[in-house]
Amino acid sequence: MYNCPVELALDVIGGKWRAVILAHLKQGPHHYGDLRRKVPGISEKMFVQRLRELQESGLVARAEVPPHVEYSLTDEGRSLGPALQALYDWGVERAARTGASIVGT
């Protein structure tokens, strides 16, 4: 039971790495290695854990496309698109206001 819808949302996508992975997958399917390179600063173990959590939550699908493994958003994951875009836009605006540096944008 949740006291607030935001609490439910953060329970599913909360934490730095889950939202970052979802934001990259919002751009389209990625092979494991490509996705891993887009998320530097996370250990291999943590990366795999977060991907599994997103799969268990029904937000990410894993498909074996020999010789690769590919990850993509499910319909449920794609429904997060507007929220992820809003977070992205806010981050860009915040960086501009504060002078924070964002690599890769």
Side-chain angles (χ1 to χ4, degrees), residues 18 35 38 76 79 86 91-92 98 100:
R18 283 186 235 157
L35 184 58
K38 289 185 179 230
E76 185 72 10
S79 74
V92 168
T98 63

Side-chain angles (χ1 to χ4, degrees), residues 2-14:
Y2 296 95
N3 296 306
C4 173
V6 173
E7 185 181 355
L8 169 61
L10 290 177
D11 189 38
V12 177
I13 67 163

Side-chain angles (χ1 to χ4, degrees), residues 16-32:
K16 177 179 180 179
W17 302 118
R18 283 186 235 157
V20 170
I21 291 167
L22 289 168
H24 287 297
L25 289 175
K26 181 180 171 285
Q27 299 169 355
H30 285 70
H31 290 138
Y32 177 87

Side-chain angles (χ1 to χ4, degrees), residues 55 60-64 69-72:
Q55 286 177 262
V60 170
R62 179 184 188 272
E64 294 199 25
V69 173
E70 185 175 87
Y71 291 89
S72 61

Side-chain angles (χ1 to χ4, degrees), residues 14-82:
K16 177 179 180 179
W17 302 118
R18 283 186 235 157
V20 170
I21 291 167
L22 289 168
H24 287 297
L25 289 175
K26 181 180 171 285
Q27 299 169 355
H30 285 70
H31 290 138
Y32 177 87
D34 295 334
L35 184 58
R36 178 68 182 93
R37 280 187 290 280
K38 289 185 179 230
V39 188
I42 183 176
S43 71
E44 188 73 20
K45 179 182 176 185
M46 182 70 67
F47 183 72
V48 170
Q49 268 183 324
R50 296 302 169 251
L51 273 174
R52 285 189 183 139
E53 290 168 358
L54 291 167
Q55 286 177 262
E56 290 168 6
S57 297
L59 301 177
V60 170
R62 179 184 188 272
E64 294 199 25
V65 184
H68 302 285
V69 173
E70 185 175 87
Y71 291 89
S72 61
L73 294 179
T74 61
D75 288 341
E76 185 72 10
R78 281 189 293 279
S79 74
L80 279 167

Side-chain angles (χ1 to χ4, degrees), residues 23 27 83-105:
Q27 299 169 355
L84 292 169
Q85 188 64 50
L87 286 170
Y88 179 91
D89 294 344
W90 185 86
V92 168
E93 292 167 6
R94 171 77 176 175
R97 284 192 302 273
T98 63
S101 176
I102 301 176
V103 178
T105 58

